[in-house]
Amino acid sequence: MTAREFTVDVHGDGDAVVVAPHGELDLATVGRLRDELARQSSAALLVLDLRGLSFMDSSGLALVVAQQRRAEAEGGDFRVVPGSRSVGRLFEVTGVARHLRWTEVSSELRSTVAGEPERQSPGQEAAVQTRQLSGPARE
Amino acid sequence: MAEVADGRLTLEQTASSVCELVVPAFADICVLDVVHEGALSRLVVKLSDPDARELEARVRLRPLPIGEEPGVGAAVTHGTSQLLSGFPEEVLQAIARNEEDLALLRSLRCTSGIVIALRARGRTLGALTLLMTEYSGRNYTAGDLEFCEVFAGRVALALDNAGLFVELQTMEAQLSVALGSLSESVTIQNRHGNLIYANQAAADMMGLATPSDVLAQPADKLVSRYDFFHEDGAVLDPEEFPGRRVLAGGEPEPLVMRVVDRESGEQAWRLAKASAVRDSAGRLTMVVNVIADITAVKRAELAQRLLAEAGELFGASLQLEDTLQQVADLCVPQLADWCTVRVVDEERRVLESVAVAHTDPDRVALVADTREYYPVALDDPGALAEVFRTGKLRCVNGITDEMLAATARDDEHLEVMRALAPCATLILPLSAQGATVGVLTLVSAESRRRFDDDDTELAAELARRAAAAVETARLYTERSRIASTLQDSLLPENLPALPGWTTASLYLPAGQEDRVGGDFYEAVPLGDDTWLLVVGDVTGRGTEAAALTAFMRHTLRAIASFTGSATQALDKLNRDLVAASQISLCTAVCVVLRERDAGAEVDIICAGHPLPVLVRRRSPEYVGEHGPMLGAYADERYELMTLPIQPGDVLVLYSDGVLDAVGPEDRFEAERLQSALMGTTGAQNAVERVQHALADFQLGAQHDDIAVVAVERVGARTRADDARHVELQPSNPGA
């Protein structure tokens, strides 16, 4: 059996969380990511960072779609940081890309800001800085 | 003198004894000098005059003669004896070293003396000086000289023996140190077989404190504490020990043996060698036994071999029960006297016994026919179920009758257990990928060994691999069922003959590791020489995927053939899937093959699916446009793209298993597919090209199902031509 080096990093606290999987996301590993996302279900802002993925197939896609549905149903904010070109292509080809909120993470997550990410309380350290992107393509 | 000469005394003691003998009986002064490491050293001086202690001391310290000087010097150098009848001034002056020495010699007031070289075994050992002084007033005669020469011979022998004895002692001490520091056990037996020497390692090996303890043990006791076995497991008779064979006159080879301590059950591996020591006549005088403990090495070797054999077994067969039986057989007798394997059933309610092995074939029946073998419920309070539930192994060394009584289900069970007489057990969970699928039980009975940490580690490793094999075999069974279901009912074995078109297809289910995704392909008649070809791909696990696939096929077929529209079918399918309670995502590529007066055309709709390839005049290009996948979002619109098709064109549809195939460094991807199809000459050729390209590229097990459908435009069949039979190539099923 091949060793699958798949890990999931989590940064942040209960209100704003970045979940970053690393490695290949497929049928064998998707369960672990699913479990981690489920653990973070109470976060007001959940960011899924795909930059660490070397591969993603339809099982990962299904998970993203499911996560988004859950967020919509519960009123949470779910965003996705685009990964590699091939990962992005899967979102494009399947038409899922335009339904997701794509974003960039530009600094370490510090405190919660739900709602408009650009608004910061004065004196507070930078929260998740996000920038709306037009699509999942990443150069 | 004979007593003195027997050699047990040291040199000094011997020399002193000689002087005691001689003074005052035969001399007033006796001096013994010996040659030691090339120089003379004064060993002893004795004066008969009890008041002359100071003088004695000074004579002892007197500088010793060198070379040819009269007296001791001459005696030692030439090995001669000399009688000095008097000591006139000139003799004294010749002997004396300096003024002080001369004064000392004068004060001795010697009247006569004898100096004799002490010689033994051809060497001069030293010199004996006997002097008479005015104290006694006696003088030596020539007869005295003769006597002294004989006497001196004996003295020399005595000193020689004493010297040898010292040498021997030194040598013995050195040997002792050398042997003592060895980690191998060294014992020496005399020719009657009695132990006359043992080093510390020997004591350690036998669990005794010191070598003396070893020598003190009666010979039988040393052996009866243990059971001995050959490497192959056959009982080893102590008569076969190399030491005993040497005593019997043989020249045995080194012997590897397994030793089990009867009391503690501990076992060890030893390598024993023995050699004979013979005297100059060739008779056996001693047997030297060297025994090395090779437990660590041997265990590692056996463990590796066991795991390798297990690995082969697991690789060789996917028949679960056969494999587990062979695993149980492997464990016996190396790891245990008997072994059972239980696996949880599909409903996860009980642990069923699937394999049993015992060193004694008769006892296999005993174990198998009794309650010992019955299924164990998962909530059973006993150890087996507990190990299964907790996933933690249990080891019990030292099983008592009370324990048996406590776990026996009834009297009959207890009787059987008593007959089997287990004394230690190791119960291990069979766990793979975090899930426990069964329990492996090892029991030690007749061999009375206990399970130590190394055994546990080895057994745990074996259990891990066995568990992985169980999972794999289960998967295989499940997938075989699904695959055959898919093949039988969900996948048409042959695509129907499509007039005007030739088709070819390929379906490769995923390899051992993964669950089945659900790829399918379908040909739906839409009426009037119009066909809908679909290749679809469903995400998810085996049976769920199969169910979803069935739903997709049914819906597409029903709606498409009713409405004549593939887009309507996809719309409906999408809405139904979005509304489903569980996420049900699929992709599909639909190709509608249509006859027109001017020729043929195809409508292409991709619903989240990789674009098909059109090979025209042997040159492949991707065609179609990406559209949304099915089951993700409602309100999606499916657009079709229409292309004219010429005779000879080949359209290739495939699932993403092709693009996702894993190679040495990356995935197959679209470019490789396009390259593979360059030069395609027909539908069958297209499918073969893809198959070969994948076979060359793929590394390791295939992760996802692969489906490929190729359709080639042959020629039109118009109503006018109905009567004419057009030779159609039959469609080819997947390889």
Side-chain angles (χ1 to χ4, degrees):
Chain A
M1 295 186 202
T2 55
R4 292 184 195 266
E5 309 248 331
F6 180 79
T7 56
V8 181
D9 291 336
V10 179
H11 316 292
D13 56 30
D15 288 332
V17 174
V18 176
V19 176
H22 295 269
E24 298 191 340
L25 181 58
D26 58 16
L27 217 41
T29 55
V30 71
R32 279 180 259 176
L33 181 58
R34 185 182 298 124
D35 289 343
E36 192 56 56
L37 288 172
R39 267 193 277 275
Q40 308 302 333
S41 59
S42 58
L45 168 64
L46 180 64
V47 177
L48 178 63
D49 184 347
L50 302 180
R51 289 175 295 175
L53 291 182
S54 54
F55 174 79
M56 188 181 82
D57 70 5
S58 52
S59 57
L61 191 66
L63 183 59
V64 173
V65 172
Q67 187 66 30
Q68 190 192 36
R69 282 194 191 175
R70 188 175 312 127
E72 275 170 19
E74 295 169 5
D77 192 353
F78 174 61
R79 303 174 195 214
V80 186
V81 178
S84 66
R85 200 179 315 180
S86 62
V87 169
R89 201 178 322 122
L90 183 60
F91 287 101
E92 292 285 10
V93 162
T94 54
V96 171
R98 62 191 182 84
H99 294 275
L100 296 174
R101 295 189 72 180
W102 296 97
T103 191
E104 265 185 17
V105 180
S106 58
S107 67
E108 199 69 26
L109 192 61
R110 276 308 191 132
S111 60
T112 62
V113 177
E116 285 308 306
E118 288 80 22
R119 194 188 306 137
Q120 290 176 38
S121 310
Q124 223 172 22
E125 300 210 51
V128 181
Q129 300 226 1
T130 59
R131 192 156 60 78
Q132 196 67 20
L133 297 180
S134 56
R138 155 176 290 275
E139 240 2 85
Chain B
M1 192 60 224
E3 279 176 24
V4 173
D6 91 359
R8 296 249 202 90
L9 304 176
T10 64
L11 215 49
E12 285 83 357
Q13 287 167 331
T14 309
S16 291
S17 308
V18 167
C19 289
E20 292 289 326
L21 281 175
V22 158
V23 174
F26 198 64
D28 291 327
I29 302 178
C30 173
V31 179
L32 232 168
D33 298 318
V34 287
V35 174
H36 182 62
E37 290 176 7
L40 263 184
S41 106
R42 180 140 292 175
L43 214 49
V44 130
V45 172
K46 188 156 172 49
L47 269 61
S48 60
D49 181 355
D51 298 329
R53 290 298 149 239
E54 200 223 320
L55 208 52
E56 204 176 82
R58 284 173 68 196
V59 171
R60 189 172 296 129
L61 294 173
R62 183 174 175 263
L64 287 167
I66 314 163
E68 311 263 346
E69 293 161 19
V72 176
V76 168
T77 307
H78 300 292
T80 54
S81 57
Q82 200 178 5
L83 168 64
L84 300 155
S85 325
F87 287 88
E89 186 61 23
E90 56 268 25
V91 171
L92 289 181
Q93 287 196 353
I95 297 170
R97 294 297 189 73
N98 48 46
E99 284 303 315
E100 209 186 305
D101 199 31
L102 189 57
L104 171 64
L105 288 176
R106 283 200 197 113
S107 67
L108 289 176
R109 296 180 290 131
C110 297
T111 53
S112 66
I114 295 179
V115 182
I116 317 174
L118 297 168
R119 292 177 55 78
R121 294 192 294 141
R123 339 188 314 267
T124 302
L125 303 181
L128 177 68
T129 308
L130 302 172
L131 297 168
M132 286 298 192
T133 67
E134 282 166 24
Y135 179 75
S136 67
R138 295 175 288 176
N139 279 302
Y140 288 117
T141 66
D144 293 328
L145 180 59
E146 273 179 41
F147 170 72
C148 282
E149 279 166 353
V150 173
F151 179 68
R154 304 246 172 110
V155 170
L157 258 180
L159 290 175
D160 196 40
N161 282 347
L164 279 180
F165 185 64
V166 168
E167 253 182 68
L168 182 63
Q169 275 191 323
T170 310
M171 262 178 52
E172 265 186 19
Q174 284 171 345
L175 193 62
S176 233
V177 169
L179 290 177
S181 64
L182 286 180
S183 57
E184 284 90 345
S185 147
V186 178
T187 57
I188 304 182
Q189 295 166 288
N190 64 15
R191 62 169 186 276
H192 305 295
N194 305 116
L195 275 179
I196 56 173
Y197 174 80
N199 69 352
Q200 186 58 43
D204 296 339
M205 196 175 268
M206 296 186 212
L208 297 168
T210 69
S212 319
D213 293 334
V214 175
L215 297 177
Q217 293 263 334
D220 301 341
K221 188 141 180 269
L222 283 175
V223 164
S224 66
R225 211 174 118 189
Y226 304 98
D227 286 318
F228 302 93
F229 303 91
H230 284 281
E231 264 189 281
D232 61 9
V235 172
L236 173 62
D237 187 338
E239 286 309 309
E240 296 175 65
F241 287 171
R244 302 228 184 150
R245 303 261 298 274
V246 167
L247 283 170
E251 282 185 14
E253 295 286 313
L255 178 67
V256 172
M257 61 172 92
R258 180 165 60 95
V259 178
V260 180
D261 185 317
R262 286 192 179 156
E263 283 165 58
S264 67
E266 272 181 73
Q267 72 167 20
W269 288 89
R270 308 258 166 86
L271 175 65
K273 300 187 232 191
S275 9
V277 176
R278 300 179 186 283
D279 64 11
S280 49
R283 284 181 305 229
L284 183 70
T285 53
M286 295 191 295
V287 179
V288 179
N289 297 292
V290 178
I291 306 178
D293 184 290
I294 55 170
T295 304
V297 168
K298 198 69 186 158
R299 280 199 142 163
E301 176 200 313
L302 290 172
Q304 259 199 356
R305 208 186 315 148
L306 182 70
L307 292 176
E309 283 176 54
E312 278 176 31
L313 284 179
F314 295 142
S317 165
L318 287 165
Q319 297 305 313
L320 183 58
E321 289 179 13
D322 289 344
T323 305
L324 290 176
Q325 182 59 51
Q326 285 177 298
V327 169
D329 291 333
L330 258 189
C331 288
V332 167
Q334 184 183 335
L335 275 178
D337 291 319
W338 100 64
C339 168
T340 57
V341 182
R342 290 169 194 268
V343 165
V344 71
D345 70 327
E346 288 205 354
E347 285 84 54
R348 294 185 77 85
R349 285 178 303 111
V350 290
L351 287 166
E352 291 171 322
S353 296
V354 293
V356 60
H358 201 295
T359 48
D360 182 345
D362 295 332
R363 299 206 139 183
V364 170
L366 192 59
V367 176
D369 286 346
T370 70
R371 299 289 171 97
E372 192 48 30
Y373 208 52
Y374 280 18
V376 171
L378 293 194
D379 54 9
D380 186 279
L384 266 174
E386 190 196 321
V387 166
F388 180 82
R389 289 191 306 269
T390 62
K392 293 196 194 313
L393 65 86
R394 273 193 65 180
C395 179
V396 182
N397 278 318
I399 296 179
T400 64
D401 197 62
E402 287 80 42
M403 292 181 194
L404 291 182
T407 58
R409 286 167 218 205
D410 54 33
D411 290 339
E412 192 197 325
H413 189 196
L414 182 57
E415 281 311 305
V416 168
M417 290 305 290
R418 283 186 175 143
L420 290 168
C423 62
T425 182
L426 189 51
I427 309 173
L428 303 131
L430 293 175
S431 298
Q433 297 181 356
T436 306
V437 297
V439 175
L440 174 76
T441 308
L442 298 171
V443 184
S444 161
E446 291 82 4
S447 70
R448 305 177 58 71
R449 59 174 294 177
R450 19 167 251 179
F451 297 106
D452 61 19
D453 291 340
D454 287 339
D455 292 326
T456 304
E457 221 180 281
L458 175 58
E461 183 55 35
L462 191 65
R464 261 192 289 279
R465 296 185 190 203
V470 170
E471 259 311 86
T472 301
R474 275 255 164 86
L475 281 177
Y476 182 72
T477 312
E478 193 191 339
R479 191 184 341 90
S480 295
R481 240 196 344 253
I482 290 168
S484 43
T485 311
L486 278 169
Q487 297 246 277
D488 292 346
S489 63
L490 299 185
L491 284 171
E493 275 186 11
N494 294 311
L495 288 169
L498 311 184
W501 308 85
T502 298
T503 56
S505 61
L506 170 69
Y507 176 67
L508 298 172
Q512 282 185 12
E513 287 186 27
D514 275 353
R515 315 289 193 196
V516 171
D519 281 2
F520 71 93
Y521 50 84
E522 183 83 32
V524 182
L526 300 186
D528 282 355
D529 296 324
T530 302
W531 290 87
L532 167 62
L533 268 181
V534 185
V535 171
D537 188 350
V538 154
T539 33
R541 309 167 114 230
T543 40
E544 292 163 8
L548 187 50
T549 306
F551 179 75
M552 267 185 88
R553 279 184 72 202
H554 173 82
T555 305
L556 281 172
R557 186 177 266 273
I559 309 289
S561 54
F562 184 70
T563 63
S565 163
T567 47
Q568 284 194 43
L570 290 173
D571 273 337
K572 170 73 170 135
L573 184 58
N574 184 47
R575 277 180 276 121
D576 283 350
L577 291 175
V578 169
S581 51
Q582 276 193 322
I583 287 275
S584 309
L585 298 186
C586 332
T587 66
V589 58
C590 294
V591 163
V592 181
L593 308 173
R594 193 178 297 114
E595 298 283 348
R596 282 275 177 264
D597 295 333
E601 65 183 20
V602 296
D603 295 337
I604 302 173
I605 311 155
C606 281
H609 202 87
L611 298 180
V613 178
L614 176 65
V615 185
R616 174 166 292 165
R617 287 187 284 276
R618 307 190 183 202
S619 179
E621 294 293 335
Y622 285 99
V623 290
E625 277 171 358
H626 287 296
M629 73 187 310
L630 299 155
Y633 303 98
D635 302 332
E636 299 286 19
R637 295 188 49 79
Y638 295 94
E639 308 278 349
L640 59 81
M641 170 194 269
T642 306
L643 291 178
I645 291 292
Q646 301 164 6
D649 284 353
V650 181
L651 197 55
V652 183
L653 315 178
Y654 55 93
S655 63
D656 66 359
V658 172
L659 303 184
D660 289 346
V662 179
E665 283 168 12
D666 59 350
R667 305 272 175 162
F668 195 71
E669 302 287 11
E671 265 187 57
R672 284 197 178 89
L673 178 59
Q674 197 170 8
S675 304
L677 290 171
M678 182 76 65
T680 296
T681 55
Q684 179 68 9
N685 182 248
V687 166
E688 281 169 5
R689 280 166 173 274
V690 175
Q691 189 178 11
H692 291 145
L694 284 170
D696 285 343
F697 176 78
Q698 268 188 316
L699 198 65
Q702 183 184 317
H703 293 185
D704 197 0
D705 281 2
I706 284 174
V708 182
V709 173
V711 56
E712 178 189 352
R713 176 64 181 167
V714 174
R717 180 185 145 188
T718 63
R719 286 196 194 81
D721 293 346
D722 270 346
R724 190 173 59 193
H725 175 66
V726 176
E727 183 74 17
L728 294 168
Q729 289 186 26
S731 59
N732 299 305

